[in-house]
Amino acid sequence: MMVIDAHQHFWQLAARGGGWPPPSLAAIYRDFAPADLAPLLAEHGIAGTVLVQSLPSEEDTHWLLALADRADFVRAVVGWTDLLAPDAPAAIARLASNSKLKGLRPMLQDIDDDQWIANPALAPALNAMVEHALRFDALVLPRHLPVLLACARACPQLAIVIDHAAKPPIADAAFGRWREDLAQLAALPNVHCKLSGLVTEAQPGWTIDDLRPYVSHVLEVFGAQRVIWGSDWPVVDLAGGYGAWLDASATLLAHLGQQDRNDIFGLNALRFYGIRD
């Protein structure tokens, strides 16, 4: 089985201007580069990765693309540009000229306006993303799902993936509106969901049973063909690490057939991001 890690990060603390992560998160309060990840990929038999931005900066995106050019295991990059800028379509075209740039991610969870993605002024940028076959990574919290639904309905040609299953309230063993709102998004064929980032939403010392209801719901509403596995490394180091999450994922998906597991662990990422194997 070919495994693609569809969600990992690199960063330099000096470039982040004192932003996240804070020093209190000691496990990830340092620089992370390809040399840090390569041994983990080799240890766990990971065939390639999707490198995802974590800073709302086009300069950071160019840095990630430069790293990707030197790291063969990075198969795609999800970057950032200001989608509300007057010249956003031109900026998107420039970024898309790099063959490894496969998507863009506005950091919706960090934007004060929960309705931001519904702004009609985003239409030129979203249309440009469709024109250049770029995917939209949606970094959202449960409260953003209704407005993301409206966006997904208004732009059905835009391929969208919900990062970290929208960070459900696992630590509280609760669901709120997450279950129903995610199901409505899953009814749209242009929307996918990443099976990533769940352990950092759980209580410390999480168990498989803590995660199972949320993973089961994602599988039920999206089906195995629209669920994409990712590690969220190095953030996953805050909650057990790469191997623990990979092993938990294997256990949570063990009841599925081999083809479904192949899809979730690798093939769906290749198809969604347009990566040539």
Side-chain angles (χ1 to χ4, degrees), residues 61-99:
T61 297
H62 288 296
W63 178 71
L64 296 177
L65 289 168
L67 287 182
D69 285 341
R70 301 194 298 271
D72 290 342
F73 63 77
V74 176
R75 307 292 296 277
V77 173
V78 176
W80 183 95
T81 193
D82 183 358
L83 298 182
L84 279 176
D87 64 342
I92 289 167
R94 286 193 299 271
L95 288 171
S97 68
N98 187 308
S99 62

Side-chain angles (χ1 to χ4, degrees), residues 112-126:
D112 290 337
D113 180 9
D114 287 352
Q115 302 296 312
W116 185 90
I117 193 58
N119 190 333
L122 286 167
L126 298 182

Side-chain angles (χ1 to χ4, degrees), residues 156-170:
Q157 293 178 297
L158 181 65
I160 297 171
V161 63
I162 300 171
D163 291 348
H164 316 320
K167 299 188 174 184
I170 301 173

